[in-house]
Amino acid sequence: MKSLYIAAPLFNPQERALNEHIDSRLSNFFKIFLPQRDGILIPNHLINAEEFARLSSDVFTIDTAAIRACDCILAVLDGRTIDEGVSFELGYAYALGKTCIGYRTDARSLLPYGNNPMIDNCLKFQFRSEEDLIHWASGK
């Protein structure tokens, strides 16, 4: 079974719920690394600078190792702008030669005809609906 890294915003309950939903829909087709579950979430309460630095380093180490180990990456591109962590994860995966897939259901865009070219040109496929994403996953 191929492995999939889900790169997605995860900073509020709605974002994490969407990520869990995507994970549940794709788990029959892939072994999935979901950073909010399989990595580390930095707590949103106050921590000192030393603890933040240690946790940040751990997040980077775990997530980049998971990207190196995956077969493909699914980048959730929803939002007024694309999450900066997702942008990095996507670029890193692309540089490693991974299959990069985009999922965008949000109509908002900064450019009149799509995302930043550095994002869109990384993507082998970009899906606008959950049904199309599942159809691709089932036949990959």
Side-chain angles (χ1 to χ4, degrees):
M1 180 177 281
K2 288 191 174 191
S3 59
L4 175 75
Y5 182 102
I6 297 177
L10 47 69
F11 298 101
N12 64 53
Q14 295 80 12
E15 290 171 340
R16 289 189 298 274
L18 173 63
N19 302 342
E20 291 167 0
H21 175 75
I22 292 169
D23 172 69
S24 72
R25 295 297 313 271
L26 296 177
S27 62
N28 289 332
F29 312 109
F30 294 98
K31 179 179 185 259
I32 296 176
F33 183 90
L34 183 62
Q36 69 195 51
R37 177 192 61 217
D38 303 317
I40 296 173
L41 280 180
I42 296 177
N44 62 359
H45 59 278
L46 294 177
I47 57 176
N48 65 40
E50 183 179 299
E51 182 69 2
F52 179 79
R54 185 187 65 75
L55 287 172
S56 295
S57 177
D58 291 347
V59 166
F60 182 83
T61 299
I62 291 167
D63 291 358
T64 55
I67 293 168
R68 285 190 306 276
C70 76
D71 295 304
C72 58
I73 185 168
L74 173 67
V76 177
L77 305 172
D78 284 346
R80 189 186 64 74
T81 62
I82 297 167
D83 177 80
E84 63 270 13
V86 172
S87 295
F88 170 81
E89 291 162 321
L90 179 61
Y92 185 61
Y94 179 81
L96 293 172
K98 306 296 179 175
T99 299
C100 300
I101 309 302
Y103 179 64
R104 183 177 191 85
T105 62
D106 196 330
R108 295 174 290 176
S109 179
L110 290 177
L111 299 175
Y113 302 108
N115 299 314
N116 182 301
M118 299 304 287
I119 299 295
D120 280 349
N121 286 284
C122 286
L123 302 173
K124 185 171 184 178
F125 303 105
Q126 188 170 172
F127 301 103
R128 297 261 180 204
S129 73
E130 184 177 319
E131 296 78 23
D132 289 343
L133 175 62
I134 301 305
H135 179 74
W136 167 81
S138 67
K140 62 169 181 6

